[in-house]
Amino acid sequence: MDDMDWAILGELQGDARLSFSELSRRVHLSPPAVAERVRRLEESGVVTGYHAHVDAAAAGWTVAAFVRVACYGARCVMRDPEVATWPGVREIHRVTGDVCSILRVEAESMRAFESLIGRLAEYGQPSSTMILSTQLGWRPVTAVPDGS
């Protein structure tokens, strides 16, 4: 990826709804050249989709937590693709340490959160940490520093 690809990514991460005409104006490249670069970024897997950033609490998901699950072997959260489809499961991460996974979850109430924890307990020992507020949320991806 070159500096132009990063300029395009910076603009798209700021506003994914930009037209190719507006994007080309901002990065000083022709619309066909911008369209070709965006297509290549999509095909190579750098751009994985276009999303709206939604405030979960404002949308009714008022309880948020990280849940560590200590499960190993055949009955593991990481081996059941169904878990990823559960309402409220936002992220699943395989991690090192004394647990095998950390999930970021949201629920509409404490009762719903308790139910989700109960479902996760079928896979192993869950341990939760409630998210009170987020000081640093989503950030755009930037070029890796060159080490200088």
Side-chain angles (χ1 to χ4, degrees):
M1 291 188 19
D2 63 15
D3 290 343
M4 183 56 66
D5 288 333
W6 282 110
I8 290 169
L9 286 174
E11 294 295 335
L12 286 176
Q13 288 179 94
D15 183 358
R17 295 176 57 172
L18 290 174
S19 67
F20 286 140
S21 294
E22 178 59 19
L23 184 54
S24 70
R25 187 187 67 71
R26 291 185 184 190
V27 299
H28 310 290
L29 201 63
S30 72
V34 164
E36 176 60 23
R37 282 179 175 262
V38 169
R39 184 190 61 74
R40 279 188 303 186
L41 290 167
E42 292 168 345
E43 289 177 352
S44 67
V46 172
V47 173
T48 60
Y50 299 89
H51 314 277
H53 292 280
V54 176
D55 181 318
W61 298 89
T62 58
V63 177
F66 293 108
V67 179
R68 295 168 307 284
V69 182
C71 56
Y72 299 94
R75 186 82 173 132
C76 179
V77 155
M78 300 300 296
R79 295 180 187 210
D80 187 348
E82 186 69 24
V83 174
T85 68
W86 294 358
V89 173
R90 300 292 180 234
E91 298 173 3
I92 302 173
H93 303 274
R94 183 177 183 191
V95 298
T96 62
D98 58 346
V99 298
C100 69
S101 58
I102 296 177
L103 291 74
R104 187 175 65 79
V105 302
E106 294 166 345
E108 63 273 18
S109 67
M110 285 305 290
R111 177 171 278 161
F113 176 71
E114 184 178 0
S115 175
L116 179 58
I117 290 294
R119 289 179 78 186
L120 287 170
E122 296 175 18
Y123 295 90
Q125 179 69 39
S127 175
S128 62
T129 301
M130 303 307 294
I131 300 172
L132 300 177
S133 66
T134 300
Q135 304 307 308
L136 178 62
W138 178 89
R139 292 174 56 181
V141 176
T142 59
V144 175
D146 63 8
S148 40

